[in-house]
Amino acid sequence: MRKPRRKSRQNAEGRRSPSPYSLKCSPTRETLTYAQAQRIVEVDIDGRLHRISIYDPLKIITEDELTAQDITECNSNKENSEQPQFPGKSKKPSSKGKKKESCSKHGSGTSFHLPQPSFRMVDSGSQPEAPPLPAAYYRYIEKPPEDLDAEVEYDMDEEDLAWLDMVNEKRRVDGHSVVSADTFELLVDRLEKESYLESRSSGAQQSLIDEDAFCCVCLDDECHNSNVILFCDICNLAVHQECYGVPYIPEGQWLCRCCLQSPSRPVDCVLCPNKGGAFKQTSDGHWAHVVCAIWIPEVCFANTVFLEPIEGIDNIPPARWKLTCYICKQKGLGAAIQCHKVNCYTAFHVTCAQRAGLFMKIEPMRETSLNGTIFTVRKTAYCEAHSPPGAATTRRKGDSPGSLSEAGDEEGLKEGCGEEEEKEEVEEEEEDEGQGGVGGPLKGLPKKNKMALKQKIKKEPEEVSRDTPSTVPMVTVPQIPSYRLNKICSGLSFQRKNQFIQRLHNYWLLKRQARNGVPLIRRLHSHLQSQRNAEQREQDEKTSAVKEELKYWQKLRHDLERARLLIELIRKREKLKREQVKIQQAAMELELMPFNVLLRTTLDLLQEKDPAHIFAEPVNLSEVPDYLEFISKPMDFSTMRRKLESHLYRTLEEFEEDFNLIVTNCMKYNAKDTIFHRAAVRLRDLGGAILRHARRQAENIGYDPERGTHLPESPKLEDFYRFSWEDVDNILIPENRAHLSPEVQLKELLEKLDLVSAMRSSGARTRRVRLLRREINALRQKLAQPPPPPQPPSLNKTVSNGELPAEAQGDVTVLEQAPQEEPEDDGDRDDSKLPPPPTLEPTGPAPSLSEQDSPPDPPTLKPINDSKPPSRFLKPRKVEEDELLEKSPLQIGSEPLQRLLSDNGINRVSLMAPDVPAGTPLSGVGRRTSVLFKKAKNGVKLQRSPDRALENGEDHGAVGSPASPASIEDEQHSRKRPRSRSCSESEGERSPRQEEETGVTNGFGKHTESGSDSECSLGLSGGLAFEACSNHMEKNWSACLLKNSISV
Amino acid sequence: MATAMYLEHYLDSIENLPCELQRNFQLMRELDQRTEDKKAEIDILAAEYISTVKTLSPDQRVEHLQKIQSAYSKCKEYSDDKVQLAMQTYEMVDKHIRRLDADLARFEADLKDKMEGSDFESSGGRGLKKGRAQKEKRGSRGRGRRTSEEDTPKKKKHKGGSEFTDTILSVHPSDVLDMPVDPNEPTYCLCHQVSYGEMIGCDNPDCPIEWFHFACVDLTTKPKGKWFCPRCVQERRKKK
């Protein structure tokens, strides 16, 4: 007897059976013989099937005994909980010890009484401990094949029995002993095994073992006693009983319809292009897949129990035939269904969809309407793009190649989609069948077999082997050589053994042939089957397998590509994030300490102007040990940076001061014609522009000096950026500025020039720049017109009277001389006529003057005295210093000069501020440094430079001794304004005794200064060679000052 | 199949890839979180600074700012780590892809050998469509790019071989290359297109674009030595 193979897997508890008809509580059909089954009544109560022996007594139970639990159970039963048809009668199938109580429902007329519990106390009798139960009552241990080989696995069937009877009859007639059934079984078993060995040794390789086989209709591998998976004995097709319409498992072999009815040639499905799978015949003699028939709405089964024949193919509208499956892309082959998403028209063949693992779900629905309960099947299938989320999650492990890539595909496609579902109604017979007690054990099953076709179709690609049609195997029964036959029966001894063996062998051969060569022992069959399959479809399989495999690998490649893409994107993102962090940091820095940022950039720019790194580091004292003797306050860029980073600069002025300190220190210590001096001058010139720019920026941005942050609101933007050509044009017309003093005019013009040259270059700009320059020059010339010689004395006199305005005029005088030089600069330089050296002074300082004097003020036209606030600031201190220094009476006389000088200095300082940091101060300093530098150079302290000997004559003494302490003191005094300090210091140095000489020295100071100034202006005006110029101006300037001093 | 043994091995080798990817992404995520935390911290510090800056001495200011700076440097560190991690991950996947390509090539060759001579009915090969070739990126650290896969089957076709093999192989480009253009695919080159054909990488590590189509930069063959994209060339000139 051949039993259907059954899944050995246990049903997990709580897991729903794949079929709504699972019968859990009753004796299963399999355990019943046919005879038994005939004596069984199947009853469906509360949606559960019960098989009750007709001999079993039925108890009557009142509905009082119906527990609440039962009621809920009743109500919650989802599937086919039809009402029992036998009111008042309840049964208790006691034969199987079932605890199932069935309910009976009475009419509503009877009144209900709650059952009264009755109990009695039992005197304490503790129940004995039950012995621990073993973990498993039964365990199936599969024997190794060797053991199995030794055992007799064959079971006789009726045929065999009949044959054996016949043979024995004959033997008895012949007077031989009877061959027992055991012997028969043993021999057949040996024959089977021998033939198996034979076929195996003939070189076929092992292949697929379908332990995890699944029904190819519902793609589920669930296996219940009531709904087992059947395997076709020929093509090894696996189907659920209910999916294929096999309500009762036949004894012996079972063949699928196509092996049974069309064994010799493969069948093709009329509804789809795919081969292989579970076929059924259509009413017109064609074949079609069961799944196709289930899913295509127009098609149905004539008999819903046996699921055959397939009907309604003709009803399929032509449109359906024309759909193109998006999976196989084959046109005009079969009928396709469409995605159930509302607006999605994607079409696919049912079998293609199955193979592609699309979401396909069939769920039974129950609708209660007036005319009874209607059973509905809801079938939903979605194309890949609309698979509901989570559909891909249930996936078995160890699946065949292809699933991985599919999983990859689906991952990207999960998106929610509406529950738009197509309903197909299947009218079902009202449930009265089960009650009739008509049928045997079959009766329970026939209902709604259609619905039994799986709720859910898992995405599981079919095995490759099933993809190809199962052609009918050739009936080949391996011949067993006679020597082997002899060996087989050597262990046995009965009469006429050989003859019997021959006959048995023949019988066995016939039997095998009758069964299409399928081995009689199931176990061997499965092996053989696969092996045969492998042989048969080798070619076919190879191509398809190779194709599959290649596709699989390509999909994998594709997936990897996508992964790489993803990571590439991530990489880019992270890079951007990194940039973002950097930018954020910069932004934060700007927010927290914008002032510092400004200073830092300024400092960077300044340092750029020092390509030789002369000022980068502090002066190395071991190289110049006497440095500190002359320089009280060394300064360098690195120190500045340090100060900057430690937030010691609160205002731009402090910063500027330090910068000027660098320059002045250098100029003080080094003689004028050394490279250091020149570098300092150069730095001063270039740095001035930078600082000026920084100042402008700072003013425009607006900083809070207390906090180093931005002001809460930005200051009113100055005209600097609100600038129009009209302004410039206006000022270019002399009449418009006629009311202003020439000086202010000059200032205005210079400012405009500054502005205009900062503009983007254009025709308008260059033209105006030229015009401005011309105006400026003209103005300067005009200013220079009044002869300088007469003025200084008078000026000085007024100054000596202590009148401040005079100072202003003194300023003017100094400035007056400027324009004269300008033309010279532009014109012939060698002209040694008399142009006063400081010509350049104004050009440089003038713009700065405008800036410094009136930083926030727009360049409105102002009265003259407005231009001097800085000097006013400085005044008190200077006066102090002056007083301090001028204890000696002689000094009084020199005071005016000093005043003048200091004022000049101050003015110049203030005027030149950023541009030419140290004007006058350098006069004193320059003198000394030149000497000192020589000193240091020659190593002889007091040695004078030969070329200056004459001029510096007396001066030297003053410089040598009294000056330096004073100067240091002074410097300590006035940290704030090094320039003014140094200026006054230089004055201080000039002792009254040397009054006469001061003029000279001053002259020299001036000359150096003017030299530097000229350098500066030159640098500004175009970087002309300053050497010649300075030499040349030296004389003029000194001469001029000499006059001044003399007049004093 | 025996031919696919190495492919099976490949499967084994790739088994860990998802885990590793996940781990790396997890790590990145963590780093990201930490960065965010730091940023929040910075924001607090900055607010604190701004509110109290008036009363702080320069030293205190410096100290406070230092704190912010250090937080930022931490942030940068994390960012660097993340970039590093991403690069590493990329390399990993890329390595796998290259190996797979090599294996596939072998597989195809094997297949060809096998199918040689045997006659199979071919289901009519789908036409070889020209598609985007997968670029071989980063593979050889820079410009070394293999010719695209697209050529492989073509060549084979010219060489001959059984029709069957061609049928199978022709599936390859059309299947892989017909894949829709991912809208998220990064764009490269001056033309801001996705990558296709032969690409060249700029040798400036900070190049914002990184990869260029040969045609877009007027190249037909791989140049020798270092190559810089037009932009980077400009930048470099400016610097000099």
Side-chain angles (χ1 to χ4, degrees), chain A residues 120-138:
Chain A
R120 65 190 170 86
M121 297 295 287
V122 180
D123 48 321
S124 60
S126 63
Q127 282 193 325
E129 284 286 316
L133 296 174
Y137 291 108
Y138 299 106

Side-chain angles (χ1 to χ4, degrees), chain A residues 549 557 564 577 585 706, chain B residues 4 32 61 69 94 101:
Chain A
E549 202 158 330
R557 173 72 170 75
R564 190 166 69 170
K577 273 194 191 170
Q585 186 182 10
E706 290 250 310
Chain B
D32 224 26
R61 279 187 201 188
Q69 289 301 324
D94 197 58
D101 282 345

Side-chain angles (χ1 to χ4, degrees), chain B residues 219-234:
Chain B
L219 283 177
T220 46
T221 51
K222 192 179 111 189
K224 274 184 189 173
K226 296 214 165 198
W227 181 86
F228 293 95
C229 72
R231 280 193 192 191
C232 292
V233 166
Q234 263 182 10

Side-chain angles (χ1 to χ4, degrees), chain A residues 545-561, chain B residues 3-11 14 95-113 134 136 146 149 152-153 156 165 168-169 171-173 175-177:
Chain A
V546 161
K547 267 188 187 171
E548 284 292 316
E549 202 158 330
L550 204 62
K551 257 192 187 166
Y552 164 63
W553 288 109
Q554 279 156 4
K555 275 192 171 177
L556 186 63
R557 173 72 170 75
H558 182 161
D559 290 347
L560 279 173
E561 184 66 37
Chain B
T3 43
M5 270 313 281
Y6 46 90
L7 288 176
E8 296 302 330
H9 286 311
Y10 179 78
L11 263 196
I14 209 169
K95 203 180 72 197
H96 277 295
I97 287 184
R98 266 178 288 139
R99 214 186 124 190
L100 179 58
D101 282 345
D103 279 356
L104 269 183
R106 223 168 104 196
F107 181 61
E108 280 164 13
D110 282 1
L111 214 64
K112 218 178 86 187
D113 289 348
Q134 305 303 309
E136 183 65 22
R146 278 194 345 176
E149 296 157 308
T152 335
K156 275 181 182 151
T165 325
I168 284 185
L169 294 180
V171 171
H172 181 188
D175 270 15
V176 175
L177 302 180

